[in-house]
Structure formats: structure tokens, C-alpha cells
Amino acid sequence: MEPEYVSNNTKHLSFKQRIAAVRPTRWIRFGLVATIFVAWVIWLGSPWVLIFLPLLADIYLTQYINYGWWKECKPSLLRTVMGWVDAIVYALVLVYFLFAFVGQNYQIPSSSLEKSLLVGDYLWVNKMIYGPRVPNTPIHFPLAQNTIPYINCKSYVDYPQWDYKRLKGFRNVERYDIVVFNFPAGDTVALKVQNPDYYTLVNQYGRTAVWTNKQVFGDIIYRPVDRRENYVKRCVGLPGDRLKIKNDIVYINGKALNEPENVQYNYFIQTAGGQITDELWEKVGVSVDDRNYVPVDNPDMAYGVEMLGMKVNSNGTINPIYQAPLTKQMVAELKAMPEIGNVVKVPTQEVINVFPLVHNYGWTRADMGEIWIPKKGSTLHLTEYNLPMYARAITAYEHNTLEVRDGNILINGKATDRYTFKMDYYWMMGDNRDNSADSRYWGFVPEDHIVGSPMFVIISLDKDKGLFDGKIRTDRFFKSANTDKP
């Protein structure tokens, strides 16, 4: 609600004269803005912010400061330019507070939550549901996460940095919620190679190679929590849970979790003869990027094909085979089609870079655990066996020093076998299970990384189609984004 400016010819008026000259409409505007501001300060829990209330009173009422000085300038060009600057600054301030404390738009860039959320969905993310965070980096450009496009410079100023604080929300994170959060492993970034993340790069190539080979990896930078990339996954593990994954099934406290309806796994699809057409792929709902042809033209591959459950013809030829992520419904649809000969789930292969990167427990993304998810105020008995699971939480997230010396665990220089966690942590996974970079690779999501939960789809654009060929998915407009729960 932009204030009306008065001419600077009132600068010699007394306080009473200024108040008397205020029009009723300006009193109404000030009353509304002041009420919203005071309510926000109460919600913020920082009474000292009320020192800015007199400034609001001056902007809307007394105007000792001539905020509209440019309106009295003679050059019309200057008035025009300053008019645009005034409007843009005012809009940016409103957007800043809206994005920081109410909600924000967010685009789905990858298929990790297909088919619950689709690539090309633009979501409205509700930050009030879990309570908005007070920005760690208060001075930032509100329309860019960490880099201003085209200019390729930082969208924030490193200082000041505020400690983590979350305002009161409507509820806590619940199991099966789709949650937007800052990427936990995104604190350190190799600018030229951001996927895979820095810690995976170090695990693969060594720290010296990543830091010294700038031509390949670029500069290594640090990002504050709220300036790290935004990820969206489904919460399957809550603070205090004991989590285990066996044959792709998630167990919480010993009980198998029901899977979301649209959960996907990778499958081999063998045709009954010819190639799979684009029309058939589209009918089933497989995107262009997920239509992967598996080359099996070599007759020597027949044994391996049969071992996977595929068929080899009597003359030794092999019908075309594809690989794609499918839901249970999509599998059923394909098996019922005469063009399809066989559909077999892709067996899980050994994955080296799974959580925790610093230690090999022999886990894969399909078989992990058991893992206790840290809970605020809970104390964990530390051993050399379980320490690798919690070392990053203790050091990077809760800012302690950690060292193992002569078989003893030292936290902040003191020998101990106990640690009490300061924050709640969560375990996040994508519904596209075999194609999702999630907690199975980088571990727990701390509560100070939680951004909010998507409410609905604003618009949805299909990247595989043209503007006049179904690109705009109108059936998804304003569709609820958090309803696919078991």
C-alpha cells in the first residue's frame, strides 16, 4: 500500500499542523500498514523492530523526510526515471517480505517426484505451514536463489548473517508430506560441476584434485543455509524414527511403510516385435527423457538378457528392450498391450556413493540401515561404528568440532561417548525411487533447512510439447500439490 507524497512546501509546518493536514485516506492507509507491521513484529518475537514504526508514521503522515523529492524536479526525464525506480523498489520490498514470510513460487526441474509432481510444474510453496524462517542472509535479491541470471554474480551479501530462527507455524512436518528444503550438501559448491555435489566429487576424485583443478571444477565457494539450492522430496522419516530400507521397501520402527500411489521404479520393457512408438509412450505417460533404448543387438548378450528375465527368440535374435521409470498402473497398462512382450523390474545394482560417503557399510539405495534419525533434545550413544552416520550433523549442521584420537571421540576437544542433538532431522525420498538424489545419498535434512510445503500448482508446462500441441497443461492449474499420500 504505497503512501501518497506531499510537496516539500510543508517543511516549515509544525507537528500539529502536519497532523492536521493529513487526509483521511492517508490515516486509513497508515492504520492498515501499522496494524500489519505490529502483528508481524509480534509473530517475529523481536520487539526491538518496533523502532521502525515512527518511520512508517513519517512516511504516511508527517513526512519530515521528503521521500518524493524527485516529483518536484524540473527535468521530466528525471521524474520519469525516478518514478520507475520508486515503483520497482516498492515492489521489491513487498516481494521480499512475501517470499520470506508467506510463500514463494518454485519450479519442478527434475523427475524425482513424478508422477505426483511433474517436470514443468510451477508450485506455490507455503512457508507459513511449518513457520517461516527469519532469513540467514537478510540482504539478498528476492527474485533469485543464489545467482542473478545472465550477470552470474551472487544474489546476496555475505554479511550480516543471522542465526537460525523459525516463527510459529500451523504444524510440524508430517510423514508423507512433500517438503521443499535447502540442499543439505549444498554448503560447499564447485561452480563448474554442481551435479554431482561437492562431497560426491571429493569422494570420487579426492579433495586435492577438486580444489586445484579449477579448469574442470571451477572455484569452490560456500553458501549460507537459505541460499543453497531448493530441493523438493517426500518426508518418509521423522525425528526419533528408526529407518531401514530392504528390497526398496522403507521400514519405520520395524513396520513397512505404505508406498505413495504414484511411486515409480525402473523397468525393462521388451516389445513383442517392433519399436515402441512415440504415441504408445505418450499414451502410457513416459516422458521423452525417460525413454531409454537398451542396445542388445549382439547375440553374445543373449545369456545376460535371459538372466534379466527377458526373452530370446528361437533364432537367437532379441526383440527391442527399453528402460523407463513406471508406476504400478503403468506396468499393468503395458503388460496388457499386444505390442509389449515383457516388463521386468530392473535389479538394484551396487551403488558406491550412498550415505554416509565417509564410510562404506555395504549399503545400496535399495538396502540400507538401520538408521536412527536424530531428534532435538535426544542423546545418542556414539561409537566408532555409528559415528560416520552422525558426524556431519554434529559438525556441519550443529557447528561442533569432532575428532577421533586413539579410539576416543572428542567433541569440542572433550572426550565423550554421548551427544545431545540441538535440532530435529528428517529423511526425504523421491517418489521416482531409482532416479532421485535424496537422503539415501546425502543423509538427514536438518530442521533449519526446511523451507515449506507446496500448496498447489500455479501453472504447468510440458517441455516435450509445442505451444499449440499440449504444452500448457491446463488440467493441472491450481491442482493441490500435496494430496498423494498413502
Side-chain angles (χ1 to χ4, degrees), residues 61 84 137 163 201 291 339 384 406 439 476 483:
L61 304 176
W84 278 103
T137 49
D163 293 334
L201 293 175
R291 304 168 189 176
E339 301 93 335
E384 288 196 54
D406 299 328
S439 286
R476 294 189 63 79
T483 57

Side-chain angles (χ1 to χ4, degrees), residues 8 14 23 49 64 74 82 97 108 141 149 162-163 205 220 228 290 319 336 343 384 387 427 434 456:
N8 198 36
S14 67
R23 292 193 294 271
V49 182
Y64 281 100
K74 291 183 179 180
M82 288 304 301
F97 279 93
I108 296 294
F141 189 71
W162 291 348
D163 293 334
Y205 303 105
I220 311 299
R228 297 168 193 172
D290 290 334
N319 292 341
V343 181
E384 288 196 54
L387 187 61
W427 190 269
D434 293 339
F456 57 85

Side-chain angles (χ1 to χ4, degrees), residues 317-338:
T317 62
I318 303 171
N319 292 341
I321 297 175
Y322 299 83
Q323 181 178 318
L326 305 173
T327 64
K328 291 180 180 179
Q329 180 179 346
M330 294 163 72
V331 170
E333 290 177 2
L334 283 168
K335 286 184 175 180
M337 293 180 178

Side-chain angles (χ1 to χ4, degrees), residues 197-324:
D197 63 82
Y198 165 80
Y199 296 99
T200 301
L201 293 175
V202 169
N203 189 56
Q204 290 178 339
Y205 303 105
R207 187 179 186 279
T208 301
V210 174
W211 276 83
T212 58
N213 195 345
K214 291 186 180 295
Q215 185 176 357
V216 174
F217 299 104
D219 291 330
I220 311 299
I221 67 168
Y222 171 83
R223 284 176 178 161
V225 172
D226 60 344
R227 297 298 101 198
R228 297 168 193 172
E229 295 293 345
N230 289 316
Y231 272 41
V232 58
K233 307 289 178 186
R234 190 182 297 278
C235 177
V236 299
L238 298 173
D241 283 346
R242 291 179 292 107
L243 178 142
K244 186 175 183 177
I245 304 174
K246 188 171 181 60
N247 295 328
D248 286 316
I249 301 300
V250 178
Y251 291 81
I252 297 294
N253 302 324
K255 296 183 179 179
L257 282 188
N258 294 324
E259 292 186 326
E261 180 182 353
N262 288 323
V263 71
Q264 294 187 111
Y265 294 99
N266 287 340
Y267 285 82
F268 288 125
I269 306 161
Q270 187 176 37
T271 71
Q275 303 283 336
I276 297 180
T277 64
D278 290 341
E279 289 76 17
L280 190 148
W281 282 125
E282 189 169 330
K283 181 179 180 181
V284 177
V286 178
S287 67
V288 173
D289 290 344
D290 290 334
R291 304 168 189 176
N292 301 302
Y293 176 74
V294 181
V296 289
D297 301 328
N298 190 336
D300 294 337
M301 300 182 68
Y303 177 75
V305 167
E306 289 180 328
M307 289 293 293
L308 291 172
M310 301 286 104
K311 296 180 180 179
V312 178
N313 298 323
S314 57
N315 61 1
T317 62
I318 303 171
N319 292 341
I321 297 175
Y322 299 83
Q323 181 178 318

Side-chain angles (χ1 to χ4, degrees), residues 238-241 372-382 390 393-394 398 417-425 447:
L238 298 173
D241 283 346
W372 178 75
I373 303 174
K375 182 178 182 180
K376 183 178 180 179
S378 294
T379 300
L380 175 68
H381 176 219
L382 297 174
Y390 306 100
I394 294 170
E398 303 203 352
D417 63 353
R418 298 286 189 276
Y419 182 77
T420 301
F421 288 91
K422 304 171 186 176
M423 290 192 292
D424 284 329
Y425 291 79
E447 67 173 73

Side-chain angles (χ1 to χ4, degrees), residues 116-117 123-124 178 454-457 479-484:
S116 301
L117 297 176
L123 310 174
W124 179 255
I178 294 178
M455 290 182 64
F456 57 85
V457 178
K479 180 180 180 180
S480 177
N482 219 330
T483 57
D484 184 27

